Amino acid sequence: MRVSGHRLSIAALVGLAIIFVNVAAAVLAPWIAPYSPTSTVGSVWLPPGEEGFLLGTDQNGRDMLTRMLYGARTSIGIALTATILSFLLGSVLGFLAATVGGWLDQLLSRIVDTLMAIPVLILALLVLTALGSSIPVLIGVIAVLDSTRVFRLSRAVGMDIAVMEYVEAARLRGEGLWWIIRREILPNALPPLIAEFGLRFCFAFLLISSLSFLGLGVQPPFADWGGMVRDNAQALEFGLSAPLIPAAGIAVLTIGVNLVVDWMLGLQGRTMEDSR
Amino acid sequence: MILSLVAKRLALGVLTLWLVSLLIFAITEILPGDVATAILGQAATPETVAAIRNQLGLNEPAWWRYLQWLTGAIQGDFGISLANQRPVAPQILGRLENTLFLASVAAVIAVPLAISLGLIAAIKQHSLLDRTISLTTLASISVPEFFIAYLLIFFLAVQAGWFPSMARFDADMGFLEQLGVIVLPALTLVLVVLAHMMRMTRATVLNVMAQPFVEMAELKGVPKWRIVVQHALPNALAPIINVVALNLAYLVVGVIVVEVVFVYPGLGQFMVDAVARRDIPTVQACGLIFAAVYVTLNMLADIGAILANPRLRHPR
Amino acid sequence: MSAATPSKSGPLLTMRGLHIEATGFDGHPIIIVDGIDLDLERGQVLGLIGESGAGKSTIALAAMGYTRGGARITGGDIVFDGRNVLEMPYHQRRKLRGDRISYVAQSAAASFNPAKTLMHQIIEAPVLHGVMSAEEASQRAVDLFHRLKVPDPDTFGRRYPHQVSGGQLQRAMTAMAMVCEPDVLILDEPTTALDVTTQIEVLAAVRDVMREFGTAGLYITHDLAVVAQISDRIMVLRDGRTVEVGETQQILEAPRETYTRDLVAARRFHVKAGEGGSETPQALLEARGIDAGYGSVKVLKGVDVAVHPRETVAVVGESGSGKSTLARVVTGLLPPTRGQVLFQGEALPPALGQRSREQLRRIQMIYQMPDVALNPRHRVYDTLARPLQFYHGLRGKELREEVNRLLDDIELGGDYAQRFPGELSGGQKQRVCIARALAARPDVVICDEPTSALDQLVAESILELLQRLQDERGLAYLFITHDLGLVKAIADRVVVMKSGEVVQQGPKAEVFSPPAHPYTELLLASVPEMRVDWLDDVLETRAGQELAER
């Protein structure tokens, strides 16, 4: 299989398959889920495969598979929305800072520096203390915090491109700022930005999962993978693997995305370590 | 020249710390959520809200409260907890020690291990070992801390029964006993930072090994091990110092989730509980401490890199 | 001299049927060196010459049994001093390197470890190979510093690489290569990164040391005139194959192969200057009393330059002379702190943003690096169509026809319209850049070293194209270059710059005929000429002048 002229590696193919399955699960949940996500259908913590429950049941006797499907909807939905917002915010401001420069760049960069001087999880905890936890707040917090990283990358990539002589040629022609960003810079910034989108999605997805795991993210009755790990954690004491199922779901999706990102970065001659 | 650079970086660190304190205060105080209503919850009537606001000094202007908070914090006074009406600082102190103990144990194991493995992977680039390391570390930087933690609990504590699954940690225990209790949380943290640190070390060393002066050394007939020790390492030192500090900073955050998993009595768990109760003074204090550690580590990373840079050490 | 017992007779180094391959991105093998035979006698210097991709460095490095990342030797023999290098185990090859065969790289700045002193790095090989003790090696290094005419030779070794200049670093690297008194010295474009006036000194120093120690050499370069000064024989390479091998004199004066003849001819610049510009009373473009700089750094000091219609004004100087900054001031990228730029007698607004579209249209620019001057994501068509739309409002069929006409004009043809820059060669890219400038229908084109990143033969064809376009369209050129040979060929008038000031300017014949300004004289004398005794002549003249000055 090839993507825009490049042969996919096996790892990247596996990654794409994982992403596809997860997205399909999230989109199709209401149609393919065998039970209702909120109703008790069996005894508590049935192991996978027993009594026809493919992934067993949870701490309230609800079907784990159904909860996983609906959980994918919540977790992926929040992470994806937050990532898209962070890109809209971060890349526009980043490119503006790179092309306009001067005081605008100074101001934006200082703000971003300060935001980045505090660990993301700590900042998220602070905001949640002030605002309380709800899905819009979670999306907003993650989007803003993630956009600082997008800003950094867009600015750096934009600066690299802005000094290219083809951009200078466009300036000398008399082209406007907007045209230069849209036609000269953006097409060349796209490959690194797409790879970064994958990284940032993973980051957002892990953050929302961690917050839910800490009990500060998505609140019941919504199913969400991080929260499911937390709710079922006690099953481990009894030698049952219930919390490992949603935890593995989180791990598999992020590994899948990272496999694709790693392949894309490889094509661009970069590594994940460059973009941290 | 080098001293002035270090001084500049120190000054920038102090400035950052101040900005961070401003940000922390601003987020928790100025954002629209009202603390008084939050504390009272269902019981909020206009009268009780007004009473609480008065009691907390919320009717004072924000800048005045910030100044009071900051001067207090500098002197080690973080105010009164809203949850139990006791001063925050004494409650934090012991937990901070516990957290630092856990993080230090993890760091002492992870740092040397990560650097040596990263070096080996870089020197044996493209070998089977290198590829295995690359793939496994890619997987392990992708997964959440609690996944690693629960895997360890499931297999090493529940199935094998080697270690306790809960870190029933007590400051009065003997050192060895303490170590025994924190094996699993420490191991989780080691696994989490190890992968990051190793990948970054490998990338850093590969970057240096691709420099023309390394080829030059090879063309002078210098043996491989000596090229690494004499030519690559001195130049990779500054970036490696950076890598280590960055990952220690990462450790500071990773510790929060791990503490919750293992019910470890550290600052992270304390902060999470405070967030759930919306105990603002406690959250502010914990946030400020975590952020200060993070900022300080980043600053030390930069200073270390400045001191290790030969171009700056031997100016023109 | 060398510790090893020299074998009786026969060449010092021979290669027979050498094949070297690398693996391309798509997994297919790429042939880099394709069946090379090479002989190097003791004490002789063999020049390896060719354009980029000819395989020169790869061949020379193979003599040490070394290949760069991904490449491997797939066939042939390399015999050094009676032993087959390719059959040696690694530790024996390692013993050879730095002791019997050593290497001088193009970029000295990158080839020294920034964390160690120069002396530490110079004595590393002799001590490691057990040739001599650290003290002996240091003494010999100081001796070499003296011979290579390094300033403060006794303390020079204590410095770190970033503490010395490029020319001195290149000498230090030569000392590092010579300290074991090797049998063969591989010099990989050792003077290419240096300014012309420094190049000549380094070249002379290296040659003297090699002669003194009777060291044989492989001298790699793309510049036939440079290699002619130091080599006994020359090997012309192209695409990994030998084109021609011969005595230096023969290659220069009676080359057998067409390719060699073209190379020799290219350096002599057979580009004919046009009939020259018209000296109208009013200049087309004029810079008056320009002061400019970046921040507190003053780069230009009171520069006056004028360009008249249909003429080529060459601005020449070494790196740091401010010639490119002048171009930035003229185009409005860098507003001057003092002085004005005038177009047909009217002052242009100093900053780009204040100039009208019509003012911008009439001054166009061509860059040094065609690789970064074209947006890699735009097809050739888009690159050329944009200025036609932007300045002349062309659209539809008219636009397509005009793009095709431009492509014909630059000798590429309409088929190239749908290509991306990545699918073009360096010369083709530069042609597209020229077409982009032409699309605006300008009066003046600023050419910032438009040929210096190109191979010689390609560069010549670009110059011919520029010349033809000037004749056909009556363009004026402000031509920025460091290459005096080029200036002699194409300029009508010459502006010589040094440290941000104009040293001398006037019609070409006037500037270049004696008595020229001393700095112009120095620049002129530093341009390598295509004859074997040029370096000796220059050195002799300089020695004579120095004597006279005393």
Side-chain angles (χ1 to χ4, degrees):
Chain A
M1 214 175 124
R2 300 174 79 83
V3 170
S4 65
H6 300 288
R7 258 218 356 243
L8 276 171
S9 68
I10 295 172
L13 212 65
V14 171
L16 277 180
I18 291 173
I19 295 171
F20 178 78
V21 169
N22 275 281
V23 171
V27 172
L28 300 175
W31 292 278
I32 57 174
Y35 300 97
S36 151
T38 47
S39 48
T40 303
V41 291
S43 11
V44 171
W45 284 331
L46 284 172
E50 255 173 60
E51 292 180 24
F53 298 111
L54 215 55
L55 295 179
T57 55
D58 74 355
Q59 84 284 3
N60 289 333
R62 294 171 294 192
D63 177 42
M64 189 70 96
L65 177 63
T66 305
R67 300 278 296 167
M68 285 295 287
L69 291 171
Y70 277 90
R73 233 173 146 75
T74 327
S75 303
I76 296 176
I78 292 176
L80 201 59
T81 316
T83 312
I84 291 170
L85 287 177
S86 75
F87 264 74
L88 289 178
L89 189 65
S91 60
V92 168
L93 291 181
F95 289 141
L96 264 182
T99 39
V100 176
W103 65 267
L104 182 73
D105 180 26
Q106 287 294 318
L107 180 74
L108 288 171
S109 294
R110 287 297 82 75
I111 293 175
V112 165
D113 283 351
T114 309
L115 279 175
M116 288 181 79
I118 307 180
V120 171
L121 185 59
I122 303 288
L123 266 180
L125 291 180
L126 288 166
V127 176
L128 291 178
T129 312
L131 292 183
S133 185
S134 65
I135 288 183
V137 168
L138 287 169
I139 291 177
V141 172
I142 297 174
V144 170
L145 295 183
D146 233 2
S147 72
T148 56
R149 268 78 181 169
V150 180
F151 173 87
R152 277 263 177 104
L153 179 78
S154 309
R155 180 175 172 274
V157 170
M159 296 263 238
D160 282 351
I161 300 172
V163 297
M164 289 287 175
E165 280 162 355
Y166 57 81
V167 176
E168 190 180 303
R171 288 175 60 201
L172 286 180
R173 198 186 306 137
E175 301 283 4
L177 178 67
W178 188 236
W179 196 90
I180 289 177
I181 291 184
R182 203 165 47 85
R183 297 277 302 151
E184 303 285 352
I185 295 184
L186 203 57
N188 291 291
L190 230 43
L193 280 184
I194 291 173
E196 183 72 7
F197 189 89
L199 285 179
R200 299 276 52 99
F201 170 79
C202 282
F203 185 85
F205 185 69
L206 286 177
L207 184 58
I208 182 67
S209 300
S210 293
L211 286 173
S212 293
F213 171 75
L214 296 176
L216 305 170
V218 181
Q219 303 297 320
F222 290 104
D224 141 87
W225 291 358
M228 287 167 69
V229 177
R230 173 193 178 83
D231 296 340
N232 290 288
Q234 285 209 313
L236 278 186
E237 302 277 308
F238 308 106
L240 297 167
S241 59
L244 293 182
I245 294 171
I250 296 167
V252 169
L253 178 57
T254 44
I255 290 176
V257 175
N258 272 338
L259 285 176
V260 178
V261 168
D262 196 45
W263 170 76
M264 281 197 279
L265 290 174
L267 288 183
Q268 297 162 23
R270 302 193 297 148
T271 67
M272 252 178 229
E273 280 56 49
D274 301 339
S275 53
R276 259 167 218 287
Chain B
M1 188 177 84
I2 194 158
L3 281 181
S4 80
L5 273 176
V6 171
K8 259 187 208 155
R9 187 61 189 82
L10 274 170
L12 183 67
V14 173
L15 179 71
T16 311
L17 270 178
W18 174 67
L19 284 173
V20 162
S21 76
L22 201 62
L23 189 66
I24 288 175
F25 187 82
I27 289 175
T28 44
E29 296 274 334
I30 296 168
L31 280 178
D34 188 274
V35 189
T37 329
I39 297 167
L40 291 166
Q42 299 293 331
T45 65
E47 294 78 37
T48 49
V49 168
I52 288 263
R53 288 186 66 90
N54 228 356
Q55 183 196 335
L56 294 177
L58 289 180
N59 294 327
E60 307 278 351
W63 65 267
W64 174 248
R65 278 183 285 129
Y66 169 68
L67 273 185
Q68 284 194 313
W69 174 71
L70 187 66
T71 45
I74 291 171
Q75 294 160 7
D77 173 13
F78 289 101
I80 309 284
S81 160
L82 296 182
N84 55 17
Q85 316 301 326
R86 299 209 322 255
V88 175
Q91 303 182 55
I92 282 182
L93 198 62
R95 290 167 180 273
L96 179 61
E97 276 172 19
N98 293 351
T99 294
L100 288 178
F101 177 65
L102 177 59
S104 316
V105 170
V108 165
I109 300 168
V111 172
L113 197 62
I115 291 179
S116 21
L117 284 176
L119 267 178
I120 293 171
I123 293 168
K124 304 257 173 215
Q125 199 198 356
H126 301 311
S127 70
L128 190 66
L129 179 76
D130 177 36
R131 280 172 211 220
T132 319
I133 289 179
S134 285
L135 211 65
T136 47
T137 53
L138 180 73
S140 85
I141 60 170
S142 309
V143 304
E145 295 90 351
F146 55 78
F147 179 60
I148 297 178
Y150 282 133
L151 277 184
L152 293 178
I153 291 181
F154 187 70
F155 289 111
L156 299 185
V158 178
Q159 304 266 351
W162 293 342
F163 307 105
S165 62
M166 297 287 156
R168 294 212 173 73
F169 184 86
D170 196 325
D172 301 330
M173 291 175 172
F175 182 68
L176 281 180
E177 203 181 340
Q178 286 181 336
L179 276 186
V181 169
I182 63 159
V183 168
L184 286 187
L187 189 57
T188 308
L189 281 175
V190 167
L191 288 177
V192 169
V193 271
L194 186 70
H196 270 121
M197 215 183 308
M198 229 173 63
R199 286 178 71 91
M200 290 167 82
T201 306
R202 174 180 176 274
T204 299
V205 174
L206 280 183
N207 191 14
V208 174
M209 293 290 281
Q211 301 290 317
F213 64 78
V214 170
E215 177 179 73
M216 191 48 146
E218 188 154 354
L219 292 177
K220 284 196 298 189
V222 179
K224 196 101 188 179
W225 65 267
R226 199 184 144 97
I227 292 181
V228 172
V229 174
Q230 282 276 316
H231 295 282
L233 267 188
N235 290 287
L237 203 59
I240 286 179
I241 290 175
N242 228 318
V243 166
V244 170
L246 277 178
N247 282 284
L248 292 184
Y250 186 86
L251 200 66
V252 172
V253 187
V255 84
I256 296 180
V257 172
V258 172
E259 283 182 7
V260 171
V261 173
F262 292 96
V263 202
Y264 181 82
L267 193 61
Q269 208 205 9
F270 192 58
M271 182 175 183
V272 171
D273 288 345
V275 173
R277 292 195 201 108
R278 307 189 70 177
D279 179 356
I280 289 187
T282 308
V283 173
Q284 283 174 333
C286 296
L288 191 63
I289 291 171
F290 275 121
V293 173
Y294 190 79
V295 169
T296 310
L297 281 170
N298 273 310
M299 184 177 70
L300 289 179
D302 286 355
I303 291 177
I306 292 171
L307 292 178
N309 184 333
R311 285 195 176 79
L312 296 174
R313 260 212 332 251
H314 312 284
R316 269 168 193 277
Chain C
M1 255 169 260
S2 180
T5 44
S7 59
K8 316 87 227 164
S9 61
L12 180 62
L13 175 72
T14 55
M15 296 185 184
R16 287 292 171 267
L18 184 67
H19 277 84
I20 298 177
E21 281 180 16
T23 309
F25 259 120
D26 49 1
H28 290 291
I30 301 166
I31 295 171
I32 305 175
V33 174
D34 187 11
I36 292 287
D37 297 334
L38 177 151
D39 293 282
L40 181 65
E41 306 287 338
R42 279 170 203 287
Q44 277 210 338
V45 176
L46 174 67
L48 299 180
I49 180 154
E51 304 189 325
S52 52
K56 320 179 281 277
S57 303
T58 314
I59 294 168
L61 286 172
M64 307 169 93
Y66 180 84
T67 49
R68 288 209 167 118
R72 63 200 173 278
I73 299 171
T74 49
D77 287 310
I78 300 172
V79 178
F80 172 74
D81 204 13
R83 291 189 300 162
N84 193 331
V85 176
L86 299 182
E87 287 165 7
M88 285 182 195
Y90 177 75
H91 71 271
Q92 281 185 20
R93 280 189 213 183
R94 192 169 66 67
K95 284 243 148 67
L96 217 59
R97 297 174 187 168
D99 181 12
R100 311 279 314 269
I101 309 180
S102 53
Y103 181 72
V104 177
Q106 174 172 356
S107 166
S111 300
F112 275 105
N113 181 345
K116 306 274 172 190
T117 61
L118 293 173
M119 189 57 90
H120 183 104
Q121 302 182 57
I122 291 172
I123 65 171
E124 187 175 19
V127 173
L128 216 60
H129 292 306
V131 179
M132 53 189 110
S133 70
E135 293 78 53
E136 282 175 286
S138 308
Q139 243 159 39
R140 188 159 303 196
V142 171
D143 174 54
L144 278 163
F145 291 157
H146 276 283
R147 290 172 194 271
L148 288 161
K149 302 185 182 64
V150 171
D152 304 324
D154 296 316
T155 57
F156 183 73
R158 289 182 213 154
R159 303 214 222 163
Y160 284 85
H162 59 275
Q163 296 172 324
V164 303
S165 72
Q168 290 172 24
L169 216 48
Q170 206 67 37
R171 290 171 218 239
M173 188 156 51
T174 309
M176 181 160 79
M178 290 298 293
V179 70
C180 286
E181 289 179 25
D183 300 298
V184 181
L185 191 60
I186 297 171
L187 299 131
D188 195 348
E189 307 248 15
T191 63
T192 308
L194 305 174
D195 267 329
V196 276
T197 47
T198 321
Q199 168 178 341
I200 204 172
E201 292 159 9
V202 172
L203 194 62
V206 170
R207 188 183 66 171
D208 291 349
V209 173
M210 286 178 75
R211 282 190 183 161
E212 231 162 299
F213 292 98
T215 315
L218 290 175
Y219 196 103
I220 301 162
T221 178
H222 65 281
D223 191 335
L224 201 46
V226 166
V227 79
Q229 310 312 317
I230 196 163
S231 338
D232 303 291
R233 291 163 69 240
I234 288 177
M235 183 168 192
V236 183
L237 296 161
R238 189 185 195 185
D239 300 331
R241 296 203 189 92
T242 309
V243 176
E244 182 170 0
V245 191
E247 300 290 319
T248 302
Q249 195 99 27
Q250 176 253 310
I251 295 283
L252 291 192
E253 283 158 19
R256 278 188 288 267
E257 300 295 322
T258 334
Y259 181 70
T260 317
R261 267 201 287 279
D262 285 345
L263 277 184
V264 173
R267 202 62 184 81
R268 287 185 179 148
F269 290 116
H270 283 247
V271 184
K272 203 173 78 248
E275 54 264 51
S278 43
E279 271 283 343
T280 47
Q282 177 159 97
L284 188 59
L285 178 71
E286 196 179 351
R288 265 193 215 152
I290 300 287
D291 283 6
Y294 305 94
S296 60
V297 187
K298 226 172 157 193
V299 183
L300 295 179
K301 295 155 212 157
V303 172
D304 293 300
V305 172
V307 183
H308 292 87
R310 309 182 72 91
E311 76 171 352
T312 301
V313 175
V315 178
V316 62
E318 296 183 274
S319 53
S321 62
K323 54 190 194 302
S324 290
T325 306
L326 179 62
R328 292 176 66 80
V329 169
V330 171
T331 53
L333 283 169
L334 180 72
T337 48
R338 240 190 52 203
Q340 297 191 293
V341 179
L342 298 100
F343 194 85
Q344 293 182 330
E346 277 178 46
L348 288 175
L352 182 62
Q354 300 153 350
R355 295 188 184 177
S356 72
R357 194 174 281 201
E358 183 60 13
Q359 285 169 332
L360 293 172
R361 180 186 70 77
R362 303 181 74 172
I363 306 174
Q364 291 291 312
M365 176 115 185
I366 301 171
Y367 294 94
Q368 175 174 8
M369 307 291 241
D371 285 326
V372 291
L374 292 178
N375 189 327
R377 300 264 158 181
H378 291 182
R379 293 179 193 275
V380 170
Y381 179 87
D382 302 320
T383 299
L384 298 185
R386 181 61 190 172
L388 292 171
Q389 289 169 327
F390 188 79
Y391 291 128
H392 307 296
L394 296 190
R395 53 179 61 208
K397 187 157 167 268
E398 216 183 352
L399 179 62
R400 280 196 299 278
E401 280 174 3
E402 187 58 26
V403 169
N404 278 335
R405 211 166 313 153
L406 281 170
L407 283 171
D408 285 339
D409 245 5
I410 55 165
E411 298 151 17
L412 281 185
D415 300 344
Y416 283 82
Q418 291 309 314
R419 295 210 193 173
F420 285 103
E423 300 166 299
L424 303 176
S425 71
Q428 288 170 339
K429 280 181 215 164
Q430 194 58 293
R431 280 169 192 268
V432 174
C433 291
I434 292 173
R436 176 174 63 191
L438 289 182
R441 295 172 202 151
D443 298 303
V444 186
V445 178
I446 299 171
C447 308
D448 190 357
E449 306 252 16
T451 57
S452 60
L454 303 172
D455 278 328
Q456 269 173 45
L457 296 180
V458 181
E460 195 189 17
S461 70
I462 293 290
L463 289 176
E464 276 166 4
L465 175 68
L466 287 171
Q467 203 75 65
R468 178 170 65 73
L469 293 170
Q470 179 168 51
D471 295 343
E472 286 173 9
R473 303 189 171 222
L475 294 170
Y477 292 140
L478 182 65
F479 202 103
I480 292 162
T481 181
H482 69 282
D483 186 342
L484 266 154
L486 194 64
V487 175
K488 280 185 182 170
I490 60 152
D492 297 307
R493 288 185 331 109
V494 180
V495 178
V496 183
M497 288 188 67
K498 189 192 180 193
S499 324
E501 284 174 278
V502 174
V503 173
Q504 192 185 7
Q505 68 173 309
K508 177 167 65 179
E510 213 171 273
V511 171
F512 287 159
S513 59
H517 184 279
Y519 182 69
T520 314
E521 199 80 69
L522 176 67
L523 279 182
L524 275 173
S526 305
V527 180
E529 286 172 28
M530 200 70 85
R531 54 192 175 87
V532 288
D533 45 5
W534 165 77
L535 184 60
D536 295 316
D537 287 356
V538 176
L539 294 174
E540 212 168 282
T541 323
R542 283 199 192 166
Q545 279 167 349
E546 272 167 33
L547 268 183
E549 274 165 28
R550 279 179 212 164

